[in-house]
Amino acid sequence: MSAEPTRPGTSTTPALPGAAAPPDPRRWWILAVIGLAQLMVVLDATIVNIALPSAQADLGFSDDQRQWVVTAYAITFGSLLLLGGRLADLFGRRRAFLIGQIGFAAASALGGAAAGFGVLVTARALQGVFAALLAPAALSLLTTTFSAPAERAKAFGVFGALAASGGAVGLLLGGFLTEHLSWRSTMYVNLLFATVAVIGGVLLLRRPAQATPPRLDLPGTVLASSGLFCLVYGLAKSGPDGWPPLRVLGCLVAGAVLLAAFVWWQRLSAHPLLPLRIVLDRVRGTALTSVFITGVGMFGVFLFLTYYFQHARGYSPAQTGLAFMPMSGCTMIGAIGSNTGLLGRIGGRPRIVTGMVLSACGMVWLANVTATGPYVLDVLPGQVATGLGMGLITAAAMNLGTAGIDPRDAGVGSATVNAMRQTGGSVGTALMSALGAGAVARSLAGRQPTPELLARAALEGYHTVFTASAVLFAAGAVLTLFLLPGGLSVERTHGAPGGRRPSAR
């Protein structure tokens, strides 16, 4: 059997027939560069949250407009991920990685210099565009750089730690920068991240040889991008005001119809944007579902814990960021340990199920928070359990979600993982906002609002949100237990490109 031709993002060194390509000696430095890029993309989803009040006061936009500073990033990022992943496959992951970094930095500089609301929102939308190109390129570079199961497990442990804890890091960094510098520094800080990552990418990433002329599924691109746009937009608009009005519901229905048409077209297209073999694999499909569930729960936790710290406890932006540190640290510990050492020997299913159970227990604890109780008793235990759980889930699920994908599909496969995570975050923000708003409204129904009553109603909202997250993680544990095959053979079979799909046991 002859050696497979070189594809974008893979080594240009020819391999002997039947032999695996030798590992890149600079692979751990490449991991550092990829990890830095991933951290920048993830933390930018939350770094501006704490800075929003300062930006609003400086630029003079309304409360209704404020949500668009966050939503503009989420919509473009989520709706263009599949396209970004396929462009990385077709035109080269190194090129996509570098263009994504440079474009993201330029958009951040535009946002930092914004003199008005329109420029700031435009900059945030452009950040999402380039993040949609950068994120799948980074994950697919990781997938093709590490193929040996043991090293791959360690690499995904580090990458998963950054992916799962980046939101908390963004809150910490955003609070510090806003309080000690200005809200504009939360945008300008990306220039530092991007400069280091671009220099590292130029020096470390190899120039791939183009094996075939690029082909793009244009109908599939239109259907997927417009469907994801409608879905993410509808979810983002439904969050602040409870359950969606008819026009938002229509947007959600349109998104579902467009995505259904996209799936139908992928079955017919000769060069599909998302080959269905990627998502129909039982192991990969369950892993993607776990990533989605974690996205729903994680973004809801970050959002409402931020509200709780600042409104119920009266923390400053910097104090709020510091209050998230235990969760961030435990997430890193859980993710790095998930694929290494003793935990790395027990298979993906026990790790993901354990992570779901730990996260559910953490949410149950947080569902009983008070406004005056000691932080170390009221909040810390729940943060520790949830952080460890999300770290276990993210590292194992991202590993299984990208393992065994043919190298020519690594970009779009990685984009699918990111799309599930991003869509999960949008669902989580909308769902938890609706549940929290409903709980507050029920608590205030028929009563004259007073400061004390408003504070009690807000706590009811937090309790409802954290309880819902606990139920979600518990359901995820049951789902994973029954759908994901057990044993190490799953990881080993999926651990190298082109691995066969394991049978369910």
Side-chain angles (χ1 to χ4, degrees), residues 287-300:
L288 292 172
T289 303
S290 300
V291 171
F292 176 82
I293 291 173
T294 307
V296 174
M298 183 168 62
F299 280 80

Side-chain angles (χ1 to χ4, degrees), residues 347-437:
R349 182 171 67 180
R351 282 175 277 158
I352 296 177
V353 171
T354 301
M356 293 283 187
V357 172
L358 277 173
S359 297
C361 291
M363 290 292 99
V364 169
W365 189 280
L366 291 175
N368 296 284
V369 292
T370 66
T372 58
Y375 169 86
V376 293
L377 295 179
D378 253 20
V379 185
L380 185 60
Q383 281 190 312
V384 169
T386 303
L388 289 172
M390 289 194 299
L392 286 171
I393 299 165
T394 303
M398 292 183 79
N399 189 358
L400 288 177
T402 57
I405 295 178
D406 192 294
R408 70 178 183 271
D409 296 327
V412 73
S414 301
T416 305
V417 175
N418 279 290
M420 294 296 287
R421 176 185 173 85
Q422 186 69 18
T423 305
S426 298
V427 171
T429 301
L431 176 62
M432 300 308 171
S433 295
L435 291 174

Side-chain angles (χ1 to χ4, degrees), residues 37-49 52 68-81 84 96-97 99-114 118-136 183-194 422:
Q38 174 68 12
L39 178 62
M40 182 181 71
V41 169
V42 174
L43 68 82
D44 241 72
T46 59
I47 194 172
V48 300
N49 288 10
L52 273 178
W68 285 103
V69 180
V70 176
T71 303
Y73 181 77
I75 288 177
T76 53
F77 189 13
S79 61
L80 296 177
L81 267 167
F97 181 85
I99 292 174
Q101 286 282 359
I102 295 170
F104 198 97
S108 300
L110 177 65
V119 176
L120 179 59
V121 170
T122 299
R124 289 288 288 168
L126 288 173
Q127 280 184 317
V129 171
F130 287 105
L133 182 64
L134 174 60
W183 70 267
R184 297 181 186 276
S185 62
T186 64
M187 304 291 286
Y188 285 134
V189 71
N190 292 319
L191 299 178
L192 177 61
F193 287 125
Q422 186 69 18

Side-chain angles (χ1 to χ4, degrees), residues 15-252:
L16 294 174
D24 192 321
R26 304 168 298 178
R27 59 195 179 280
W28 298 109
W29 287 106
I30 293 175
L31 172 62
V33 172
I34 293 172
L36 183 62
Q38 174 68 12
L39 178 62
M40 182 181 71
V41 169
V42 174
L43 68 82
D44 241 72
T46 59
I47 194 172
V48 300
N49 288 10
I50 293 178
L52 273 178
S54 298
Q56 184 177 4
D58 186 18
L59 301 181
F61 51 86
S62 67
D63 290 342
D64 291 337
Q65 292 174 314
R66 184 173 59 184
Q67 65 167 315
W68 285 103
V69 180
V70 176
T71 303
Y73 181 77
I75 288 177
T76 53
F77 189 13
S79 61
L80 296 177
L81 267 167
L82 289 179
L83 174 60
R86 181 50 84 191
L87 289 176
D89 285 333
L90 298 178
F91 297 106
R93 294 167 199 120
R94 179 182 185 271
R95 183 178 302 169
F97 181 85
L98 295 177
I99 292 174
Q101 286 282 359
I102 295 170
F104 198 97
S108 300
L110 177 65
F117 172 74
V119 176
L120 179 59
V121 170
T122 299
R124 289 288 288 168
L126 288 173
Q127 280 184 317
V129 171
F130 287 105
L133 182 64
L134 174 60
L139 185 53
S140 59
L141 282 169
L142 183 71
T143 300
T144 54
T145 299
F146 293 90
S147 57
E151 289 191 347
R152 179 185 172 88
K154 294 177 182 178
F156 269 86
V158 174
F159 191 85
L162 295 173
S165 64
V169 173
L171 292 169
L172 173 62
L173 186 58
F176 178 83
L177 292 174
T178 301
E179 188 162 319
H180 295 284
L181 295 174
S182 77
W183 70 267
R184 297 181 186 276
S185 62
T186 64
M187 304 291 286
Y188 285 134
V189 71
N190 292 319
L191 299 178
L192 177 61
F193 287 125
T195 298
V196 176
V198 167
I199 293 173
V202 170
L203 295 177
L204 297 173
L205 299 176
R206 296 177 178 177
R207 296 180 181 274
Q210 190 70 46
T212 56
R215 298 180 181 179
L216 188 61
D217 175 15
L218 291 179
T221 298
V222 172
L223 289 171
S225 298
S226 57
L228 287 171
F229 175 87
C230 290
L231 183 63
V232 176
Y233 175 82
L235 291 170
K237 290 293 289 181
S238 66
D241 303 313
W243 297 111
L246 287 178
R247 69 178 185 278
V248 177
L249 188 61
C251 193
L252 294 173

